[in-house]
Amino acid sequence: MTYILTASPAVRAAAERLAVATATGEPVAPVRDLIGPDDVVSAYAVQSIGVQGRLVAGARVVGRKIGLTSPAVQRQLGVDQPDFGVLFDDMDVSETIPAQRPRLLQPKVEAELAFVLGADLDGEQLDAITVRGAIEYAVASLEIVDSRIADWDITFADTVADNASSGWFALGSRRLSLEEFEPREIAMSMAVDGEVVSTGTGSACLGDPLNALAWLARTARDFGNPLRAGEVVLSGALGPMAPLRPGARVRAEIFSSAETLGAVDFAWEQL
């Protein structure tokens, strides 16, 4: 992203507001009063400043996340497009001990299908068919979403500015080839402390998680920061998110017909 040097005072003020929330652990007021509720360019400019700050502090980009893939959520926020954020190495709960992960303020959890890329996605034609060939494997995943905005009082611009309301993520261990299943045909069940709290399907994610990946590939390319081999892409929620509390144990499973394709577990350890 290339907005850093030309960011307006309003964009910089919004980025600083979110940085304060991150540093103090206290949610802040929405930033839409500074950049407007639906100014896509300004919102991603704010996000870009936050991303640059993390990179300067030593974080490493390991992938991207796609949000707002559900038509119901899009209608709720009055938008007609998804958004995206950046995944950093310390967000991966399997790789980072709790004390070194980013602070969570008001987290929720949702189940997704994650893709790990085996090739760059920077070509001219990037649709569901072409991106399919760039996927090395898929895994079940959990995204622990979070918001630096108080009470999750967000519009499209607020969540984009806040790195698409990102927090942590967890990946399942079973690697799936797309020769084994069709992403749009999967079903998902997520339980918290043994109680099922969310169910969904692959078709709930822009009709097909591959459509979501294609959208991200085109958007990232157009932003001048294309998806690269080795990156993880969280393709969007397969069902409703659920509240998350310290000590909770979460398990999500994905199915094709009656066969379990993969599962992922996460426990929010209390420090």
Side-chain angles (χ1 to χ4, degrees):
M1 299 179 193
T2 57
Y3 298 112
I4 299 294
L5 296 178
T6 58
S8 69
V11 164
R12 292 188 176 277
E16 177 60 25
R17 183 180 296 178
L18 292 169
V20 168
T22 300
T24 65
E26 294 294 330
V28 294
V31 297
R32 58 183 176 267
D33 64 317
L34 297 169
I35 62 173
D38 53 11
D39 186 335
V40 176
V41 172
S42 292
Y44 278 113
V46 176
Q47 182 187 123
S48 183
I49 292 174
V51 167
Q52 185 64 25
R54 298 266 3 245
L55 294 174
V56 169
R60 179 172 56 88
V61 174
V62 296
R64 323 290 171 90
K65 60 153 288 184
I66 310 171
L68 301 178
T69 55
S70 162
V73 175
Q74 289 186 2
R75 288 193 296 270
Q76 183 182 23
L77 293 180
V79 300
D80 60 0
Q81 62 182 310
D83 70 346
F84 73 89
V86 176
L87 300 177
F88 295 100
D89 55 338
D90 58 0
M91 295 178 176
D92 184 346
V93 301
S94 65
E95 299 292 334
T96 308
I97 62 174
Q100 295 177 355
R101 298 171 192 163
R103 190 200 311 254
L104 295 178
L105 280 65
Q106 39 189 357
K108 303 175 187 288
V109 62
E110 57 191 29
E112 308 189 11
L113 187 65
F115 298 115
V116 177
L117 301 180
D120 295 348
L121 283 172
D122 55 1
E124 194 67 29
Q125 181 176 349
L126 294 171
D127 56 22
I129 296 174
T130 56
V131 302
R132 186 185 190 101
I135 297 169
E136 183 174 352
Y137 60 88
V139 294
S141 67
L142 292 168
E143 184 182 2
I144 295 86
V145 294
D146 198 10
S147 181
R148 272 53 62 177
I149 305 297
D151 301 318
W152 280 85
D153 178 17
I154 58 174
T155 62
F156 183 72
D158 293 306
T159 187
V160 169
D162 190 23
N163 198 24
S165 302
S166 61
W168 302 344
F169 66 95
L171 302 178
S173 59
R174 183 179 177 186
R175 299 182 176 187
L176 301 167
S177 164
L178 293 197
E179 295 179 355
E180 299 177 66
F181 77 109
E182 281 297 331
R184 67 178 180 275
E185 296 176 357
I186 62 174
M188 174 278 295
S189 178
M190 181 177 73
V192 176
D193 293 331
E195 178 184 355
V196 175
V197 295
S198 179
T199 59
T201 64
S203 61
C205 180
L206 289 186
D208 186 334
L210 292 176
N211 291 337
L213 177 59
W215 172 86
L216 175 62
R218 293 189 299 269
T219 304
R221 178 200 60 196
D222 293 346
F223 269 83
N225 192 18
L227 299 176
R228 297 301 185 188
E231 289 194 332
V232 177
V233 176
L234 303 182
S235 61
L238 301 175
M241 66 179 65
L244 186 65
R245 61 186 180 279
R249 295 184 176 275
V250 186
R251 179 177 178 83
E253 297 180 339
I254 57 174
F255 309 87
S256 180
S257 299
E259 179 188 3
T260 300
L261 293 174
V264 55
D265 295 280
F266 166 72
W268 187 7
E269 303 96 330
Q270 293 178 282
L271 297 179

